[in-house]
Amino acid sequence: MTFAIAPMSAEHIPEAAALYDRWSGHSRKGRPPGAPTGEELLGRLLAEPDTEAYFARDSGGRPAGYLAASPLDLAEDTPAALRSHPRSAVVRHGGHAPAPGQRDNAALLALYTEAAARLVAQRRLVHYVELPASGTAAMDWCQLGFGFEEMYGLMAVKPRGRQPRGVDGLSIRRAGPGDLPQIGRMAAESARYQRESAMFLPQSDAALAAMRTRYTDTLSDPRCAAWIAGRGGEEIGMVLLAPSPAGPVTPDGCVELAEAYVEPSTRGEGVSRILLATAAAWAYDHEYRHIGARWHSASPLAAGHWPAVGFRVAAYRLSRVLDPRIRPGHASGQFAGQVQGRDRAPLGT
């Protein structure tokens, strides 16, 4: 199948938004209340500098899909670099949608071929994709070499019901600005753990050090809340909540589980469940109706724990890491307006 690929501009937004609104309704049971429309999302994406955005039409001139990849440039000594490669690119929520009724990912392949060549020429060799939870949508990207990296889950916040059983000698107290050293230490330890198997994230010492002061303002913000679990005079766990704005997969009235940590020596005793129950009670009293959480899909601790305590997966982040031995010339071919969706020859040949 042949597609005409053109750089995406503001004039494409109405058609692209119609594709997104229909596709997002098919891939999930509708967008959350308060979520931005397709036109709003696309307007923001195209306004970002240096976004690689393309629009595809099939041989009959009908819209076949679009793709917008935003550059990520992060300082390596900041907490943001603990989660994402400092020179990479991301297809954010709303940054891709196919035409309805497509039986394969040919249009996506054509669009990604065009965008990826540009990204590789810029030496952006790590590519991320944010998707609503849908096996079909994820499979289209997995066929291009992407794999699951991160999950985003939502837990409904309800009136107090049955509480988790107690833990001997455990105390829970609200944390404040004076608890930054304890909160910062545990946040840094939580991030440091992601160096381990099977995550293997290269958490730099400088970025881990920055985690110790990341929540200075958060602990003073009345919209946020944190608790510390203690036993025998020692802090053994903590949880921290911060408001999360409504988005493509995040409903109104949602608060984010920004940090959660339990000391390794006390894991398995129920400390995390008690901290979460305390946080959920506060969230309900402050009119939050959902708690969101992110976890690495290959984490031996988090991958099973958060679904088990009530988080339902609402979105994925997929990633593809290209071999750094690739030479810039490999992606320096002609960016033709006609792309063969399945059988296009490698660029430059």
Side-chain angles (χ1 to χ4, degrees), residues 2-37:
T2 300
F3 300 96
I5 307 294
M8 189 171 168
S9 63
E11 68 181 32
H12 294 107
I13 287 180
E15 288 181 301
L19 291 177
Y20 172 74
D21 288 338
R22 184 165 181 180
W23 175 77
S24 61
H26 283 179
S27 62
R28 303 178 63 249
K29 294 180 180 178
R31 293 190 307 278
T37 66

Side-chain angles (χ1 to χ4, degrees), residues 55-76:
F55 193 85
R57 296 186 185 278
D58 63 19
S59 56
R62 295 175 295 269
Y66 70 88
L67 177 68
S70 305
L72 282 180
D73 292 294
L74 307 170
E76 294 192 33

Side-chain angles (χ1 to χ4, degrees), residues 261-307:
Y261 178 77
V262 174
E263 291 287 353
S265 61
T266 60
R267 289 172 186 163
E269 297 183 28
V271 176
S272 176
R273 289 177 180 268
I274 293 175
L275 282 167
L276 182 60
T278 303
W282 176 90
Y284 187 84
D285 290 343
H286 288 76
E287 300 186 349
Y288 293 110
R289 293 299 176 259
H290 290 87
I291 297 177
R294 302 178 192 278
W295 62 89
H296 199 285
S297 59
S299 169
L301 295 176
H305 176 70
W306 295 118

Side-chain angles (χ1 to χ4, degrees), residues 95-170:
H96 159 66
Q102 293 187 15
R103 287 179 284 183
D104 56 32
N105 68 341
L108 174 59
L109 174 58
L111 288 160
Y112 180 65
T113 298
E114 198 77 10
R118 303 275 187 176
L119 297 173
V120 169
Q122 299 166 21
R123 300 304 291 169
R124 299 186 188 277
L125 303 184
V126 180
H127 304 160
Y128 302 104
V129 179
E130 298 174 348
L131 293 172
S134 163
T136 301
M139 183 55 66
D140 286 344
W141 285 94
C142 289
Q143 290 175 346
L144 303 186
F146 284 76
F148 290 94
E149 180 188 87
E150 186 179 272
M151 302 293 178
Y152 174 71
L154 291 170
M155 183 181 75
V157 177
K158 301 176 182 178
R160 293 175 180 82
R162 183 178 179 182
Q163 297 298 299
R165 64 178 178 83
V167 175
D168 290 342
L170 185 72

Side-chain angles (χ1 to χ4, degrees), residues 39-73:
E39 289 204 12
E40 291 170 335
L41 281 174
L42 286 161
R44 295 172 195 170
L45 290 172
L46 292 184
E48 293 183 10
D50 301 321
T51 293
E52 295 292 340
Y54 299 94
F55 193 85
R57 296 186 185 278
D58 63 19
S59 56
R62 295 175 295 269
Y66 70 88
L67 177 68
S70 305
L72 282 180
D73 292 294

